[in-house]
Every structure is written in structure tokens, then in C-alpha cells.
Amino acid sequence: MNASTLPTSWHGIRGQDAVVEQFRRAVVRGRLASSFLFAGPPGVGKRAFALKMAQALLCQTHPETDFEPCGYCPSCRQVEAGTHPDLIFVCKPAERANILLESIIGDDDHRMQEGLLHDISIKPFMGGRKIAIIDDADYLKAEGANALLKTLEEPPPRSILILIGTSPAKQLPTIRSRCQLVRFQPLEEPVVADLLLKNGLAQDAAGARRLAHYSGGSLERAGQLTDPEIWTFRGTLYQRLAEGTFDNVAFAPTVAQFIDAAGKEAPLRRRRFHQIVQFAADFYRHLLRAQAGAAEAADADLRQFLDTALHRRPIDPETTARRLERCLDADQQIDRNANQST
């Protein structure tokens, strides 16, 4: 796929044409729901689409049925600047493990007098809609999620609430049942490579293709992989995993050094934790495919380690599957339980 055949974009949002058309049809038919759960890998355009959708619905130049923001009217500019009075945006603070409850319902002295639920209940200032976006919804604690239920059941007139996460499984069943699920697909590798070049995250086309190949369709993950230290650690980790018998104690200093290299800030250290378990998960996922006789799509370096694992100390597929499951569980628990300061 060359540049001329890359998927089209809607206001810069690449690879999500099906989602755009889904909403365009709903708006034209007057059947736009009041609550949505946007689910999909990080770095595929979920947040960008939510904000562009808000811009389209609040635009003062084009009618809603166009589903096309003009980009120049006062409303469009306020959405872009994050200052529109009818757009509410909540996300997890970078230094915290969860979305703050007070951002949903106000602090102890102002319960339901401030926060998202209060703001969305107020009549639109500019006569259109109220739109609330909860980014990082994977990190909603149960108390905050439960506080949303009444608003999801009885939404204020002309209001829309969008939750953005990675998986429906990370939301309470009561939240999932009250939201229309919208799935965002991983980006195609050529799209990721093109975006890496356009955003200056890769020096040349070959480097962009290499990063895109390992990105899992996520521009965010591809950007993280630009650090050479990550590739050095990946090779060391895969060598240990390929040996079959993994000595956690002996490998701990290597892991600690890799995490410490990220700095002292918790978000950066947490990201390194994620990279470690995601690399391990990739290894066991490919190993399981190889054990099943499936065609192997791994890169040359990984194939070498897989061959070692298959012939040096072969393990049964059930054990590989259990190890993969433990990696996936660990990845989900990092943000809630890991202490990056120790």
C-alpha cells in the first residue's frame, strides 16, 4: 500500500471511516444516542474523533446533519481551544492512577454543585448541545462509575456523554449496558508509518515501517518504541524467555535498571512496566501460534528466539497459554497496583 492508496481521513482522523459513517447516518436520521463507549487500542484516534464530533455537533455554521465542522466559527475555535462552555472534558491526571471522583461529582464541599454531572445538567449556553467526554475511562473507580448511572439512565435533554477506553471489559456491566458501544479498529501499518513520518517521529521510511510493524496498529505505542533502550531490553528479555526456565530474582536488576532509566516520574515508569509485560505477552502469543503450527508473522529477531524456545527447552501449549494469560492480567493491573517508587 503506497501513499496514494492510504485510507482517507475525516478531518485528519485516519483509518476510522466506518465509525465516521456510522455517526453520519445516525445524525442524518435523527437517531443519535445520548451515551457512548468508545473502545479500542490507545493511539488509534478515539479522543480525536470525540473532539471532532463535538466540534461538528456544536458548529454554528453547518447544520448538525452535515456532520462537518467548519473549523472557523467561534464555536469550532472554542472546541479546538478547549474553552467551549458546552463541552466538558475529564481525564485521568498524569500523576494519578485513577480519574478523580471530584471531577465527576465535585469535591466534598461542593457535591453535585461542581464536576461533570453538574455541568452536563445545565442548559446549553449557546443553544445547541451539552457534550461531556471522559477520557481514560478505564481508570474510573467504582464510586465514580456508579455516580454516572443516573445520568446515563436519564440523560439531560440535548446532552451526549462519551466514555473513552480500551476495552468494554474494563467497564462495570452497568456502564456497558447503558452505553452504545463503538469499536475503533487498530490502524493499518502503512497508516501508522505515514503518521510517524508526518509527525517527525521517524527519520526515514524504513524506520517508520519498522516501528509501525511493532505498533499493534497504535500510533501511541509506535511513538514509544522510538527509544533505542527499549530494543536493547527487548532482546535481553526475549533471550531469557527463550531459555525456558526464567529466574525472576536474577533478572530483577535488569528490569529495575530499565525502569529507572525512564526517570522518577510515575507515568514514565508505569509506561516501562507496560512495555515489559507487553513484550513478554508478544513473545508468548507468537510462541503459542508457533506451537499450533500457524504461519509465523514475527520479525526475524523474535523468530530466532522462538526457535530457541521450541528446541532448547520446549514447553507445552497449555503452559504457554497460562503464561500469556498472566502477562495480560499483569498489564491490566499495573496502573492500579504497581508502586513505581520502589
Side-chain angles (χ1 to χ4, degrees):
M1 184 182 293
N2 56 42
S4 63
T5 59
L6 289 174
T8 58
S9 67
W10 180 68
H11 296 277
I13 297 169
R14 305 280 289 277
Q16 304 298 343
D17 293 352
V19 174
V20 175
E21 287 308 307
Q22 174 184 343
F23 276 91
R24 194 189 303 277
R25 290 193 299 268
V27 170
V28 169
R29 296 171 182 173
R31 303 191 57 163
L32 192 64
S34 59
S35 57
F36 299 93
L37 172 58
F38 288 4
V44 298
K46 301 187 299 293
R47 182 192 306 112
F49 180 85
L51 291 170
K52 191 58 64 174
M53 170 181 165
Q55 197 176 42
L57 296 177
L58 296 172
C59 181
Q60 296 172 314
T61 301
H62 296 164
E64 274 194 7
T65 50
D66 284 359
F67 202 59
E68 289 287 343
C70 72
Y72 300 104
C73 71
S75 184
C76 283
R77 291 183 176 181
Q78 285 179 310
V79 170
E80 188 170 351
T83 59
H84 198 292
D86 294 325
L87 176 62
I88 308 145
F89 188 88
V90 168
C91 64
K92 179 181 74 66
E95 71 281 2
R96 302 298 291 269
N98 295 286
I99 292 176
L100 301 179
L101 179 62
E102 50 262 39
S103 66
I104 304 296
I105 61 175
D107 60 30
D108 291 339
D109 296 328
H110 303 90
R111 284 288 188 257
M112 301 311 295
Q113 299 175 37
E114 294 179 350
L116 180 146
L117 295 181
H118 169 267
D119 294 344
I120 199 173
S121 68
I122 298 174
K123 183 179 178 181
F125 286 94
M126 301 177 72
R129 290 183 179 271
K130 278 286 198 179
I131 300 175
I133 300 171
I134 301 179
D135 199 7
D136 306 314
D138 291 352
Y139 305 107
L140 266 174
K141 296 180 71 174
E143 189 176 4
N146 286 328
L148 295 172
L149 295 181
K150 184 176 180 181
T151 298
L152 291 174
E153 291 174 348
E154 301 176 11
R158 302 282 293 172
S159 69
I160 293 177
L161 177 58
I162 302 170
L163 282 73
I164 302 175
T166 57
S167 169
K170 293 189 177 182
Q171 306 302 319
L172 294 177
T174 48
I175 294 290
R176 295 199 302 266
S177 65
R178 290 165 173 80
C179 293
Q180 179 175 319
L181 176 62
V182 181
R183 294 190 181 275
F184 285 70
Q185 300 302 315
L187 302 176
E188 296 179 6
E189 286 186 16
V191 173
V192 176
D194 189 53
L195 290 172
L196 286 169
L197 286 171
K198 288 184 175 179
N199 290 319
L201 297 174
Q203 295 182 350
D204 52 46
R209 288 194 299 269
R210 179 173 184 257
L211 293 172
H213 180 70
Y214 297 114
S215 71
S218 166
L219 181 62
E220 178 179 310
R221 188 179 187 193
Q224 294 170 1
L225 295 174
T226 58
D227 186 350
E229 289 183 357
I230 292 176
W231 297 100
T232 301
F233 177 84
R234 177 182 184 261
T236 303
L237 174 64
Y238 282 176
Q239 182 178 1
R240 294 297 184 93
L241 294 178
E243 292 173 356
T245 55
F246 192 89
D247 188 338
N248 293 333
V249 176
F251 195 57
T254 303
V255 172
Q257 183 179 5
F258 178 64
I259 293 172
D260 289 342
K264 295 183 178 180
E265 295 183 9
L268 298 178
R269 297 172 68 85
R270 191 179 297 121
R271 179 188 297 173
R272 284 282 171 102
F273 269 104
H274 279 296
Q275 289 166 341
I276 292 169
V277 295
Q278 287 169 358
F279 278 145
D282 285 345
F283 178 87
Y284 288 121
R285 187 180 293 110
H286 284 288
L287 179 59
L288 192 61
R289 286 175 54 85
Q291 290 173 325
E296 189 49 64
D299 61 276
D301 291 339
L302 178 51
R303 282 197 298 270
Q304 176 183 346
F305 292 119
L306 292 175
D307 288 340
T308 300
L310 289 169
H311 296 102
R312 177 177 295 181
R313 285 181 174 271
I315 59 176
D316 58 272
E318 290 76 13
T319 299
T320 303
R322 287 196 298 271
R323 292 179 180 179
L324 172 59
E325 185 176 0
R326 285 200 295 270
C327 291
L328 297 177
D329 288 341
D331 193 48
Q332 293 182 7
Q333 294 300 320
I334 285 172
D335 293 285
R336 291 175 171 83
N337 299 327
N339 182 355
Q340 293 84 14
S341 63
T342 59

